Amino acid sequence: MTDDVRVGVVGVGSMGRNHVRVYSELPGVDLVGVSDADTEAAAEVADQYQIESLDLDDLFDRVDCASVAVPTQFHSQIARQGIDAGIDLLVEKPFVDDLDEGRELAALADERDVLLQVGHIERFNPAVTALFDIIDTVDPISIEAERLGPPIERDIQDGVVKDLMIHDIDILLNLVDSEIESLSAQGAADGQYATAQIRFENDTLGSLTASRVTQRKVRKLTVTASDRLIELDYLNQTIHIYRQSKPEFTGGTGDVYYRHQNVIEQPMINSAEPLREELEAFVDASQNDLPPKVSALDAIEALEVTNRIDELARTRNQTTTNTT
C-alpha cells in the first residue's frame, strides 16, 4: 500500500505526547490530530506539531487507526467507541479496569474485524526481542525481575503493581510455557513497593519486585538455568550470558588461592526506542491486516495475574493457588 496511514492520538498526557512525537516522525504516517477532554492541552499539542485538535467523534471519522492514552478508567468507553467506528486501536496498558469489559472488547473487535493492540511496550525492547530468541534453547530454573525507581512528580492513578510490575508479569508469562501453580505477594510503603513470587507447574520460579521508593532507577531481568545465567538490562538494552563457571583452588609456595573463571557472552543488539518499535509494528499491522504482537487476550492474561498480585500485596502477605 502506498497511501499514508491516517493516525490520531486520544489523550495528551505524558504518554500520549510521546505517541504524538513518535507518530510525527514515522514515514508513511499522516498524523491527523489529537483529542483530549482537556481542550487547552490538546490545542497546545496540536499547535506544537501543526496538527488539529478535534473532538473524539471527529477524530475517529478522519483516521484509520489511533492510540488511546487516557487514564485506565476511560479505556473501555473510548475503545468501544473506536471499535464501533471501525478504527484500529492501540490501547495503553493496563488494558481495562474490568476484565469482563476487556473480554467483551476483544470479542467485539474480532466481530468487527478491528485490530486491537495493547501497549505492553517492553515486548518491543530490542533486548527482550533478543531474549525471546535465546530462551528457546534454555530451560529456566528461575526468572527474577526488578523494576525500581525513585518517587516521580507526575500523578499516576494506578498503583506500583499495575503501573510498573505489570510489564514484567507480561514478559514472565510469555517466557514460561506453563500454568501458574501458586502465587504470593507482599506490599510496603503505602503501596509504593511490592514483591511477588510465582511458582509455575513446570517448577520454574518467578520473582518480581517493583518500587517507586528506590533511589536508583533499575530495570533488570535475570534468568537462571543450570548451564548459564542470563542478565538483561532494559535501560541499556544489553544482555550478558555467563557460562562455564569454574571455581578452583590453586597453590604455589605453600599458599592456596581461590580463583573463579567465567565465559561471558554479549550478543549484539541494535538499540532502538521501544515506543517507536511498538508504534511501527501497530501501523504495519493496521496497514497490512496482520495480527497484533500484543493482543487484547494477551493483555487480559497479564492483567488477571496483575490483579491477583495487587490484591495480595495490599493485604501485605498472602498466598493463592491457581484455580483456573
Side-chain angles (χ1 to χ4, degrees), residues 65-110:
C65 55
S67 287
V68 177
V70 297
T72 307
Q73 65 264 36
F74 303 113
H75 284 184
S76 181
Q77 172 190 341
I78 293 174
R80 187 177 297 274
Q81 188 171 341
I83 293 169
D84 286 339
I87 303 302
D88 291 337
L89 297 173
L90 188 156
V91 180
E92 267 299 340
K93 64 83 193 164
F95 176 36
V96 288
D97 269 336
D98 186 285
L99 290 171
D100 287 336
E101 288 184 357
R103 296 184 187 98
E104 290 178 9
L105 290 173
L108 182 62
D110 186 59

Side-chain angles (χ1 to χ4, degrees), residues 14-189:
S14 59
M15 196 62 193
R17 292 181 187 226
N18 279 319
H19 281 242
V20 172
R21 171 183 57 80
V22 172
Y23 281 133
S24 72
E25 299 169 353
L26 291 183
V29 168
D30 175 15
L31 179 59
V32 173
V34 296
S35 181
D36 196 291
D38 185 342
T39 55
E40 290 186 5
E44 175 191 338
V45 172
D47 183 62
Q48 179 181 354
Y49 288 92
Q50 298 182 353
I51 55 177
E52 293 193 60
S53 173
L54 302 164
D55 66 39
L56 193 58
D57 287 334
D58 286 343
L59 183 68
F60 283 164
D61 281 342
R62 296 175 56 179
V63 299
D64 304 305
C65 55
S67 287
V68 177
V70 297
T72 307
Q73 65 264 36
F74 303 113
H75 284 184
S76 181
Q77 172 190 341
I78 293 174
R80 187 177 297 274
Q81 188 171 341
I83 293 169
D84 286 339
I87 303 302
D88 291 337
L89 297 173
L90 188 156
V91 180
E92 267 299 340
K93 64 83 193 164
F95 176 36
V96 288
D97 269 336
D98 186 285
L99 290 171
D100 287 336
E101 288 184 357
R103 296 184 187 98
E104 290 178 9
L105 290 173
L108 182 62
D110 186 59
E111 177 187 325
R112 303 288 174 85
D113 195 25
V114 166
L115 172 70
L116 185 55
Q117 180 171 318
V118 180
H120 283 276
I121 193 171
E122 292 291 22
R123 292 269 206 110
F124 299 87
N125 188 309
V128 172
T129 301
L131 178 63
F132 276 105
D133 292 335
I134 294 168
I135 207 73
D136 286 340
T137 63
V138 177
D139 187 15
I141 296 170
S142 72
I143 300 175
E144 180 180 359
E146 294 179 291
R147 191 166 293 266
L148 319 173
I152 56 178
E153 295 181 359
R154 61 189 175 92
D155 180 43
I156 294 181
Q157 296 179 355
D158 293 317
V160 73
V161 174
K162 285 190 176 182
D163 180 45
L164 296 182
M165 190 182 288
I166 189 172
H167 289 290
D168 298 308
I169 292 169
D170 174 66
I171 298 297
L172 180 63
L173 294 178
N174 281 274
L175 286 174
V176 181
D177 185 19
S178 179
E179 296 296 320
I180 292 175
E181 178 181 295
S182 63
L183 183 155
S184 62
Q186 298 187 62

Side-chain angles (χ1 to χ4, degrees), residues 14 51 54 111 135 230 239 241 255 265 274 296 312:
S14 59
I51 55 177
L54 302 164
E111 177 187 325
I135 207 73
I230 305 171
I239 290 177
I241 304 173
D255 295 323
E265 303 171 19
L312 293 173

